[in-house]
Short mmCIF file of all heavy atoms in Angstrom, two decimals:
data_model
loop_
_atom_site.label_atom_id
_atom_site.label_comp_id
_atom_site.label_asym_id
_atom_site.label_seq_id
_atom_site.Cartn_x
_atom_site.Cartn_y
_atom_site.Cartn_z
N MET A 10 185.46 -223.46 -21.72
CA MET A 10 184.29 -222.93 -22.39
C MET A 10 183.98 -221.55 -21.80
O MET A 10 183.90 -221.39 -20.59
CB MET A 10 183.13 -223.88 -22.18
CG MET A 10 181.90 -223.48 -22.90
SD MET A 10 180.91 -224.95 -23.10
CE MET A 10 180.22 -224.63 -24.66
N ASN A 11 183.82 -220.58 -22.69
CA ASN A 11 183.57 -219.21 -22.27
C ASN A 11 182.08 -218.90 -22.40
O ASN A 11 181.50 -218.99 -23.47
CB ASN A 11 184.37 -218.23 -23.13
CG ASN A 11 185.85 -218.46 -22.97
OD1 ASN A 11 186.33 -218.62 -21.87
ND2 ASN A 11 186.56 -218.50 -24.08
N HIS A 12 181.47 -218.50 -21.28
CA HIS A 12 180.05 -218.21 -21.28
C HIS A 12 179.77 -216.71 -21.43
O HIS A 12 178.63 -216.32 -21.52
CB HIS A 12 179.41 -218.74 -20.00
CG HIS A 12 179.49 -220.22 -19.89
ND1 HIS A 12 178.72 -221.05 -20.66
CD2 HIS A 12 180.26 -221.03 -19.11
CE1 HIS A 12 178.99 -222.32 -20.36
NE2 HIS A 12 179.93 -222.34 -19.43
N SER A 13 180.78 -215.89 -21.41
CA SER A 13 180.60 -214.46 -21.52
C SER A 13 181.61 -213.90 -22.51
O SER A 13 182.74 -214.38 -22.61
CB SER A 13 180.80 -213.80 -20.16
OG SER A 13 180.75 -212.40 -20.29
N ILE A 14 181.20 -212.88 -23.25
CA ILE A 14 182.11 -212.26 -24.21
C ILE A 14 183.20 -211.47 -23.48
O ILE A 14 184.30 -211.28 -23.99
CB ILE A 14 181.32 -211.38 -25.20
CG1 ILE A 14 182.19 -210.96 -26.39
CG2 ILE A 14 180.75 -210.15 -24.54
CD1 ILE A 14 182.46 -212.05 -27.34
N TYR A 15 182.90 -211.03 -22.26
CA TYR A 15 183.88 -210.26 -21.49
C TYR A 15 185.02 -211.12 -20.99
O TYR A 15 186.16 -210.69 -20.91
CB TYR A 15 183.20 -209.55 -20.31
CG TYR A 15 182.18 -208.55 -20.76
CD1 TYR A 15 180.83 -208.75 -20.50
CD2 TYR A 15 182.54 -207.40 -21.47
CE1 TYR A 15 179.88 -207.84 -20.92
CE2 TYR A 15 181.60 -206.49 -21.89
CZ TYR A 15 180.27 -206.72 -21.61
OH TYR A 15 179.33 -205.82 -22.04
N SER A 16 184.73 -212.38 -20.64
CA SER A 16 185.78 -213.24 -20.11
C SER A 16 186.40 -214.14 -21.18
O SER A 16 187.24 -214.98 -20.87
CB SER A 16 185.22 -214.11 -18.98
OG SER A 16 184.25 -215.00 -19.50
N ALA A 17 186.00 -213.96 -22.43
CA ALA A 17 186.52 -214.81 -23.50
C ALA A 17 187.97 -214.45 -23.81
O ALA A 17 188.38 -213.30 -23.68
CB ALA A 17 185.66 -214.63 -24.75
N ASP A 18 188.70 -215.46 -24.23
CA ASP A 18 190.11 -215.21 -24.56
C ASP A 18 190.24 -214.75 -26.02
O ASP A 18 189.25 -214.57 -26.73
CB ASP A 18 190.94 -216.47 -24.30
CG ASP A 18 190.42 -217.69 -25.05
OD1 ASP A 18 189.31 -217.60 -25.60
OD2 ASP A 18 191.12 -218.71 -25.07
N ARG A 19 191.46 -214.58 -26.45
CA ARG A 19 191.73 -214.00 -27.77
C ARG A 19 191.25 -214.91 -28.90
O ARG A 19 190.72 -214.42 -29.90
CB ARG A 19 193.24 -213.76 -27.88
CG ARG A 19 193.63 -213.06 -29.13
CD ARG A 19 195.13 -212.82 -29.17
NE ARG A 19 195.45 -211.88 -30.21
CZ ARG A 19 196.24 -210.86 -30.08
NH1 ARG A 19 196.83 -210.65 -28.93
NH2 ARG A 19 196.48 -210.06 -31.07
N THR A 20 191.40 -216.20 -28.78
CA THR A 20 190.98 -217.11 -29.87
C THR A 20 189.46 -217.12 -30.02
O THR A 20 188.95 -217.24 -31.14
CB THR A 20 191.49 -218.53 -29.61
OG1 THR A 20 191.02 -218.99 -28.34
CG2 THR A 20 193.00 -218.58 -29.64
N THR A 21 188.74 -216.98 -28.93
CA THR A 21 187.28 -216.94 -29.02
C THR A 21 186.83 -215.69 -29.75
O THR A 21 185.93 -215.73 -30.60
CB THR A 21 186.65 -217.01 -27.62
OG1 THR A 21 187.13 -218.17 -26.95
CG2 THR A 21 185.14 -217.05 -27.71
N HIS A 22 187.44 -214.55 -29.44
CA HIS A 22 187.12 -213.32 -30.15
C HIS A 22 187.45 -213.44 -31.64
O HIS A 22 186.70 -212.97 -32.49
CB HIS A 22 187.89 -212.14 -29.54
CG HIS A 22 187.33 -211.67 -28.25
ND1 HIS A 22 186.17 -210.95 -28.15
CD2 HIS A 22 187.79 -211.81 -26.98
CE1 HIS A 22 185.93 -210.67 -26.89
NE2 HIS A 22 186.90 -211.18 -26.15
N LEU A 23 188.57 -214.07 -31.95
CA LEU A 23 188.96 -214.26 -33.34
C LEU A 23 187.96 -215.15 -34.07
O LEU A 23 187.59 -214.88 -35.22
CB LEU A 23 190.36 -214.86 -33.42
CG LEU A 23 190.94 -215.04 -34.82
CD1 LEU A 23 191.10 -213.68 -35.49
CD2 LEU A 23 192.26 -215.77 -34.76
N LYS A 24 187.48 -216.20 -33.41
CA LYS A 24 186.48 -217.08 -34.01
C LYS A 24 185.19 -216.32 -34.31
O LYS A 24 184.56 -216.51 -35.35
CB LYS A 24 186.19 -218.26 -33.10
CG LYS A 24 187.31 -219.26 -33.00
CD LYS A 24 186.94 -220.35 -32.02
CE LYS A 24 188.11 -221.29 -31.75
NZ LYS A 24 187.77 -222.31 -30.75
N ILE A 25 184.79 -215.46 -33.39
CA ILE A 25 183.56 -214.69 -33.58
C ILE A 25 183.71 -213.74 -34.76
O ILE A 25 182.81 -213.62 -35.60
CB ILE A 25 183.21 -213.92 -32.29
CG1 ILE A 25 182.80 -214.90 -31.19
CG2 ILE A 25 182.10 -212.91 -32.54
CD1 ILE A 25 182.67 -214.28 -29.83
N VAL A 26 184.84 -213.07 -34.87
CA VAL A 26 185.08 -212.15 -35.97
C VAL A 26 185.12 -212.88 -37.31
O VAL A 26 184.53 -212.43 -38.30
CB VAL A 26 186.38 -211.34 -35.74
CG1 VAL A 26 186.78 -210.56 -36.97
CG2 VAL A 26 186.21 -210.42 -34.55
N VAL A 27 185.77 -214.03 -37.36
CA VAL A 27 185.86 -214.81 -38.59
C VAL A 27 184.48 -215.31 -39.01
O VAL A 27 184.11 -215.22 -40.19
CB VAL A 27 186.85 -215.97 -38.43
CG1 VAL A 27 186.75 -216.95 -39.58
CG2 VAL A 27 188.27 -215.44 -38.31
N MET A 28 183.68 -215.78 -38.07
CA MET A 28 182.34 -216.26 -38.40
C MET A 28 181.45 -215.11 -38.89
O MET A 28 180.64 -215.29 -39.80
CB MET A 28 181.70 -216.96 -37.20
CG MET A 28 182.32 -218.30 -36.89
SD MET A 28 182.32 -219.44 -38.27
CE MET A 28 180.57 -219.64 -38.54
N ALA A 29 181.60 -213.93 -38.31
CA ALA A 29 180.83 -212.77 -38.77
C ALA A 29 181.22 -212.38 -40.19
O ALA A 29 180.36 -212.04 -41.01
CB ALA A 29 181.02 -211.61 -37.81
N LEU A 30 182.50 -212.41 -40.49
CA LEU A 30 182.96 -212.10 -41.84
C LEU A 30 182.46 -213.12 -42.86
O LEU A 30 182.02 -212.75 -43.95
CB LEU A 30 184.48 -212.01 -41.89
CG LEU A 30 185.10 -210.76 -41.27
CD1 LEU A 30 186.61 -210.89 -41.23
CD2 LEU A 30 184.69 -209.53 -42.04
N VAL A 31 182.53 -214.39 -42.51
CA VAL A 31 182.07 -215.45 -43.42
C VAL A 31 180.57 -215.30 -43.66
O VAL A 31 180.09 -215.41 -44.80
CB VAL A 31 182.41 -216.84 -42.85
CG1 VAL A 31 181.71 -217.95 -43.61
CG2 VAL A 31 183.92 -217.06 -42.89
N ALA A 32 179.81 -215.03 -42.60
CA ALA A 32 178.37 -214.86 -42.76
C ALA A 32 178.05 -213.64 -43.60
O ALA A 32 177.15 -213.67 -44.46
CB ALA A 32 177.71 -214.75 -41.39
N GLY A 33 178.78 -212.55 -43.42
CA GLY A 33 178.55 -211.35 -44.21
C GLY A 33 178.87 -211.57 -45.68
O GLY A 33 178.13 -211.11 -46.56
N ILE A 34 179.94 -212.26 -45.96
CA ILE A 34 180.30 -212.55 -47.35
C ILE A 34 179.26 -213.48 -47.98
O ILE A 34 178.90 -213.31 -49.14
CB ILE A 34 181.72 -213.15 -47.42
CG1 ILE A 34 182.75 -212.08 -47.05
CG2 ILE A 34 182.02 -213.74 -48.79
CD1 ILE A 34 184.15 -212.59 -46.85
N ALA A 35 178.76 -214.44 -47.22
CA ALA A 35 177.74 -215.35 -47.74
C ALA A 35 176.44 -214.60 -48.06
O ALA A 35 175.83 -214.83 -49.11
CB ALA A 35 177.47 -216.46 -46.73
N VAL A 36 176.04 -213.71 -47.20
CA VAL A 36 174.81 -212.94 -47.45
C VAL A 36 174.99 -212.02 -48.66
O VAL A 36 174.10 -211.91 -49.50
CB VAL A 36 174.41 -212.14 -46.19
CG1 VAL A 36 173.33 -211.13 -46.50
CG2 VAL A 36 173.97 -213.08 -45.08
N ALA A 37 176.14 -211.38 -48.75
CA ALA A 37 176.40 -210.51 -49.90
C ALA A 37 176.45 -211.31 -51.20
O ALA A 37 175.91 -210.88 -52.22
CB ALA A 37 177.70 -209.74 -49.69
N GLY A 38 177.08 -212.46 -51.17
CA GLY A 38 177.14 -213.32 -52.36
C GLY A 38 175.78 -213.81 -52.78
O GLY A 38 175.45 -213.84 -53.97
N PHE A 39 174.96 -214.18 -51.81
CA PHE A 39 173.59 -214.61 -52.13
C PHE A 39 172.78 -213.45 -52.71
O PHE A 39 172.02 -213.64 -53.66
CB PHE A 39 172.91 -215.15 -50.88
CG PHE A 39 171.49 -215.57 -51.12
CD1 PHE A 39 171.21 -216.73 -51.81
CD2 PHE A 39 170.44 -214.80 -50.66
CE1 PHE A 39 169.91 -217.11 -52.05
CE2 PHE A 39 169.13 -215.17 -50.90
CZ PHE A 39 168.86 -216.33 -51.59
N GLY A 40 172.95 -212.27 -52.16
CA GLY A 40 172.23 -211.11 -52.67
C GLY A 40 172.63 -210.75 -54.09
O GLY A 40 171.78 -210.37 -54.91
N ILE A 41 173.89 -210.86 -54.40
CA ILE A 41 174.35 -210.56 -55.76
C ILE A 41 173.87 -211.61 -56.74
O ILE A 41 173.44 -211.30 -57.85
CB ILE A 41 175.89 -210.44 -55.79
CG1 ILE A 41 176.32 -209.18 -55.03
CG2 ILE A 41 176.43 -210.44 -57.21
CD1 ILE A 41 177.81 -209.07 -54.82
N SER A 42 173.88 -212.88 -56.35
CA SER A 42 173.48 -213.94 -57.26
C SER A 42 171.97 -214.02 -57.40
O SER A 42 171.47 -214.60 -58.37
CB SER A 42 174.01 -215.29 -56.78
OG SER A 42 173.38 -215.64 -55.56
N ALA A 43 171.19 -213.45 -56.51
CA ALA A 43 169.73 -213.53 -56.56
C ALA A 43 169.11 -212.42 -57.39
O ALA A 43 167.89 -212.37 -57.51
CB ALA A 43 169.17 -213.48 -55.15
N ARG A 44 169.90 -211.53 -57.95
CA ARG A 44 169.34 -210.46 -58.77
C ARG A 44 168.69 -211.04 -60.01
O ARG A 44 169.17 -212.01 -60.59
CB ARG A 44 170.43 -209.48 -59.20
CG ARG A 44 170.99 -208.68 -58.07
CD ARG A 44 171.87 -207.59 -58.57
NE ARG A 44 172.96 -208.17 -59.39
CZ ARG A 44 173.85 -207.45 -60.03
NH1 ARG A 44 173.82 -206.14 -59.95
NH2 ARG A 44 174.79 -208.02 -60.73
N THR A 45 167.59 -210.45 -60.43
CA THR A 45 166.92 -210.90 -61.66
C THR A 45 167.36 -210.03 -62.81
O THR A 45 167.49 -208.82 -62.70
CB THR A 45 165.40 -210.81 -61.50
OG1 THR A 45 165.05 -209.47 -61.20
CG2 THR A 45 164.92 -211.73 -60.40
N PHE A 46 167.59 -210.66 -63.92
CA PHE A 46 168.02 -209.96 -65.12
C PHE A 46 166.91 -210.01 -66.15
O PHE A 46 166.25 -211.03 -66.33
CB PHE A 46 169.29 -210.60 -65.71
CG PHE A 46 170.50 -210.43 -64.85
CD1 PHE A 46 170.96 -211.46 -64.07
CD2 PHE A 46 171.16 -209.22 -64.81
CE1 PHE A 46 172.06 -211.31 -63.26
CE2 PHE A 46 172.28 -209.05 -64.01
CZ PHE A 46 172.73 -210.10 -63.24
N SER A 47 166.70 -208.93 -66.86
CA SER A 47 165.71 -208.93 -67.93
C SER A 47 166.36 -209.44 -69.21
O SER A 47 167.58 -209.54 -69.33
CB SER A 47 165.14 -207.53 -68.12
OG SER A 47 166.18 -206.64 -68.47
N ASP A 48 165.52 -209.75 -70.18
CA ASP A 48 166.03 -210.34 -71.43
C ASP A 48 166.78 -209.34 -72.30
O ASP A 48 167.57 -209.72 -73.14
CB ASP A 48 164.87 -210.93 -72.23
CG ASP A 48 164.27 -212.13 -71.53
OD1 ASP A 48 164.98 -212.76 -70.73
OD2 ASP A 48 163.09 -212.45 -71.80
N ASP A 49 166.53 -208.05 -72.10
CA ASP A 49 167.16 -207.06 -72.96
C ASP A 49 168.55 -206.64 -72.45
O ASP A 49 169.08 -205.65 -72.89
CB ASP A 49 166.27 -205.83 -73.12
CG ASP A 49 165.96 -205.17 -71.79
OD1 ASP A 49 166.31 -205.75 -70.76
OD2 ASP A 49 165.39 -204.09 -71.80
N GLY A 50 169.10 -207.36 -71.54
CA GLY A 50 170.42 -207.04 -71.03
C GLY A 50 170.35 -206.02 -69.92
O GLY A 50 169.36 -205.89 -69.22
N SER A 51 171.42 -205.29 -69.74
CA SER A 51 171.46 -204.32 -68.65
C SER A 51 171.29 -202.89 -69.16
O SER A 51 171.72 -201.95 -68.52
CB SER A 51 172.78 -204.44 -67.90
OG SER A 51 173.85 -204.18 -68.77
N THR A 52 170.68 -202.73 -70.34
CA THR A 52 170.46 -201.39 -70.87
C THR A 52 169.23 -200.78 -70.22
O THR A 52 168.27 -201.47 -69.92
CB THR A 52 170.28 -201.42 -72.39
OG1 THR A 52 169.15 -202.24 -72.69
CG2 THR A 52 171.52 -201.97 -73.07
N GLN A 53 169.26 -199.49 -70.04
CA GLN A 53 168.14 -198.78 -69.45
C GLN A 53 167.65 -197.73 -70.43
O GLN A 53 168.42 -197.12 -71.15
CB GLN A 53 168.56 -198.10 -68.15
CG GLN A 53 168.96 -199.07 -67.07
CD GLN A 53 169.34 -198.35 -65.80
OE1 GLN A 53 169.41 -197.13 -65.77
NE2 GLN A 53 169.59 -199.10 -64.76
N THR A 54 166.35 -197.52 -70.46
CA THR A 54 165.78 -196.51 -71.32
C THR A 54 165.26 -195.36 -70.47
O THR A 54 164.73 -195.57 -69.38
CB THR A 54 164.62 -197.08 -72.16
OG1 THR A 54 163.63 -197.59 -71.27
CG2 THR A 54 165.10 -198.19 -73.06
N ALA A 55 165.43 -194.16 -70.97
CA ALA A 55 164.99 -192.98 -70.23
C ALA A 55 163.56 -192.65 -70.64
O ALA A 55 163.22 -192.64 -71.82
CB ALA A 55 165.91 -191.80 -70.53
N ARG A 56 162.73 -192.37 -69.66
CA ARG A 56 161.36 -191.96 -69.93
C ARG A 56 161.25 -190.48 -69.60
O ARG A 56 161.55 -190.06 -68.49
CB ARG A 56 160.39 -192.76 -69.08
CG ARG A 56 160.38 -194.21 -69.45
CD ARG A 56 159.38 -194.98 -68.63
NE ARG A 56 159.41 -196.38 -69.01
CZ ARG A 56 158.93 -197.35 -68.29
NH1 ARG A 56 158.35 -197.08 -67.15
NH2 ARG A 56 158.99 -198.58 -68.71
N VAL A 57 160.79 -189.70 -70.57
CA VAL A 57 160.69 -188.26 -70.41
C VAL A 57 159.26 -187.93 -70.05
O VAL A 57 158.32 -188.33 -70.73
CB VAL A 57 161.10 -187.53 -71.70
CG1 VAL A 57 160.94 -186.03 -71.54
CG2 VAL A 57 162.54 -187.89 -72.05
N VAL A 58 159.09 -187.18 -68.97
CA VAL A 58 157.76 -186.73 -68.55
C VAL A 58 157.69 -185.23 -68.81
O VAL A 58 158.46 -184.46 -68.24
CB VAL A 58 157.52 -187.03 -67.05
CG1 VAL A 58 156.17 -186.52 -66.62
CG2 VAL A 58 157.67 -188.51 -66.80
N LYS A 59 156.77 -184.85 -69.67
CA LYS A 59 156.63 -183.43 -70.01
C LYS A 59 155.58 -182.79 -69.11
O LYS A 59 154.59 -183.41 -68.75
CB LYS A 59 156.24 -183.27 -71.47
CG LYS A 59 157.33 -183.74 -72.42
CD LYS A 59 156.93 -183.49 -73.85
CE LYS A 59 158.04 -183.97 -74.78
NZ LYS A 59 157.72 -183.75 -76.19
N ALA A 60 155.80 -181.54 -68.80
CA ALA A 60 154.86 -180.80 -67.96
C ALA A 60 153.61 -180.47 -68.75
O ALA A 60 153.67 -180.07 -69.92
CB ALA A 60 155.50 -179.53 -67.44
N GLY A 61 152.47 -180.61 -68.11
CA GLY A 61 151.20 -180.30 -68.76
C GLY A 61 150.74 -178.89 -68.41
O GLY A 61 151.52 -178.03 -68.05
N LYS A 62 149.43 -178.70 -68.52
CA LYS A 62 148.86 -177.40 -68.20
C LYS A 62 148.85 -177.19 -66.69
O LYS A 62 148.79 -178.15 -65.93
CB LYS A 62 147.44 -177.32 -68.73
CG LYS A 62 147.36 -177.36 -70.24
CD LYS A 62 145.93 -177.26 -70.70
CE LYS A 62 145.84 -177.30 -72.21
NZ LYS A 62 144.47 -177.22 -72.69
N PRO A 63 148.88 -175.92 -66.23
CA PRO A 63 148.82 -175.67 -64.80
C PRO A 63 147.48 -176.12 -64.23
O PRO A 63 146.45 -176.06 -64.89
CB PRO A 63 148.96 -174.15 -64.69
CG PRO A 63 149.52 -173.71 -65.99
CD PRO A 63 149.13 -174.72 -67.00
N VAL A 64 147.50 -176.54 -62.98
CA VAL A 64 146.30 -177.05 -62.32
C VAL A 64 145.95 -176.13 -61.17
O VAL A 64 146.82 -175.70 -60.40
CB VAL A 64 146.56 -178.49 -61.80
CG1 VAL A 64 145.35 -179.00 -61.06
CG2 VAL A 64 146.93 -179.40 -62.94
N VAL A 65 144.68 -175.82 -61.01
CA VAL A 65 144.21 -175.01 -59.90
C VAL A 65 143.96 -175.93 -58.71
O VAL A 65 143.24 -176.92 -58.82
CB VAL A 65 142.91 -174.26 -60.27
CG1 VAL A 65 142.38 -173.48 -59.08
CG2 VAL A 65 143.16 -173.36 -61.45
N VAL A 66 144.58 -175.61 -57.57
CA VAL A 66 144.47 -176.48 -56.41
C VAL A 66 143.19 -176.20 -55.63
O VAL A 66 142.53 -177.11 -55.16
CB VAL A 66 145.72 -176.31 -55.51
CG1 VAL A 66 145.59 -177.14 -54.26
CG2 VAL A 66 146.96 -176.69 -56.27
N THR A 67 142.81 -174.95 -55.49
CA THR A 67 141.62 -174.62 -54.70
C THR A 67 140.43 -174.40 -55.62
O THR A 67 140.57 -174.05 -56.79
CB THR A 67 141.85 -173.33 -53.88
OG1 THR A 67 142.10 -172.26 -54.79
CG2 THR A 67 143.01 -173.49 -52.95
N SER A 68 139.25 -174.58 -55.05
CA SER A 68 138.04 -174.37 -55.82
C SER A 68 137.20 -173.26 -55.23
O SER A 68 136.07 -173.04 -55.63
CB SER A 68 137.23 -175.66 -55.89
OG SER A 68 136.85 -176.04 -54.57
N SER A 69 137.72 -172.55 -54.24
CA SER A 69 136.99 -171.49 -53.58
C SER A 69 137.22 -170.17 -54.31
O SER A 69 138.34 -169.82 -54.67
CB SER A 69 137.45 -171.36 -52.13
OG SER A 69 136.84 -170.26 -51.52
N ASN A 70 136.14 -169.41 -54.52
CA ASN A 70 136.26 -168.12 -55.20
C ASN A 70 136.15 -166.95 -54.24
O ASN A 70 136.03 -165.81 -54.65
CB ASN A 70 135.17 -168.00 -56.27
CG ASN A 70 135.40 -168.97 -57.39
OD1 ASN A 70 136.53 -169.29 -57.72
ND2 ASN A 70 134.31 -169.44 -57.99
N THR A 71 136.19 -167.24 -52.94
CA THR A 71 136.08 -166.16 -51.95
C THR A 71 137.37 -165.38 -51.85
O THR A 71 138.45 -165.93 -52.07
CB THR A 71 135.72 -166.73 -50.57
OG1 THR A 71 136.74 -167.62 -50.16
CG2 THR A 71 134.39 -167.44 -50.60
N MET A 72 137.26 -164.12 -51.49
CA MET A 72 138.43 -163.25 -51.38
C MET A 72 138.93 -163.23 -49.94
O MET A 72 138.15 -163.10 -49.00
CB MET A 72 138.03 -161.85 -51.83
CG MET A 72 139.15 -160.93 -52.06
SD MET A 72 138.46 -159.46 -52.83
CE MET A 72 139.91 -158.58 -53.09
N VAL A 73 140.21 -163.34 -49.76
CA VAL A 73 140.80 -163.35 -48.44
C VAL A 73 141.47 -162.01 -48.20
O VAL A 73 142.31 -161.59 -48.99
CB VAL A 73 141.82 -164.49 -48.28
CG1 VAL A 73 142.47 -164.46 -46.92
CG2 VAL A 73 141.16 -165.83 -48.53
N VAL A 74 141.10 -161.33 -47.10
CA VAL A 74 141.69 -160.03 -46.75
C VAL A 74 142.58 -160.26 -45.53
O VAL A 74 142.15 -160.80 -44.53
CB VAL A 74 140.60 -159.00 -46.44
CG1 VAL A 74 141.24 -157.67 -46.02
CG2 VAL A 74 139.70 -158.82 -47.63
N ARG A 75 143.82 -159.83 -45.64
CA ARG A 75 144.75 -160.02 -44.53
C ARG A 75 145.27 -158.69 -44.07
O ARG A 75 145.59 -157.82 -44.72
CB ARG A 75 145.91 -160.92 -44.93
CG ARG A 75 145.44 -162.30 -45.24
CD ARG A 75 146.61 -163.18 -45.52
NE ARG A 75 146.07 -164.49 -45.93
CZ ARG A 75 146.77 -165.56 -46.02
NH1 ARG A 75 148.03 -165.53 -45.76
NH2 ARG A 75 146.23 -166.67 -46.39
#
């Protein structure tokens, strides 16, 4: 039994790598299967935002001399 990663032999390292890969694939598979789909399929509609009138940011009418 290996209590440290530094003193572990080759098979223990291989087991750790395999378990990490299996866990990563499981998480990715769960994430892909958990996506929600809308009823209209996977089509997307573009929303166009048109620019309006210019807006004044300041409300001060004082003159600044530099």
Side-chain angles (χ1 to χ4, degrees):
M10 184 158 215
N11 297 315
H12 296 287
S13 174
I14 192 73
Y15 297 113
S16 65
D18 56 350
R19 185 179 194 133
T20 57
T21 304
H22 284 287
L23 183 63
K24 289 177 187 177
I25 292 170
V26 170
V27 168
M28 288 305 297
L30 286 173
V31 168
I34 291 170
V36 169
F39 178 74
I41 291 172
S42 67
R44 292 189 303 176
T45 58
F46 292 102
S47 61
D48 292 336
D49 59 352
S51 61
T52 60
Q53 296 181 354
T54 58
R56 294 182 181 162
V57 178
V58 178
K59 294 184 180 180
K62 294 181 180 179
V64 178
V65 177
V66 177
T67 62
S68 62
S69 174
N70 292 328
T71 60
M72 193 171 183
V73 178
V74 177
R75 295 185 185 193

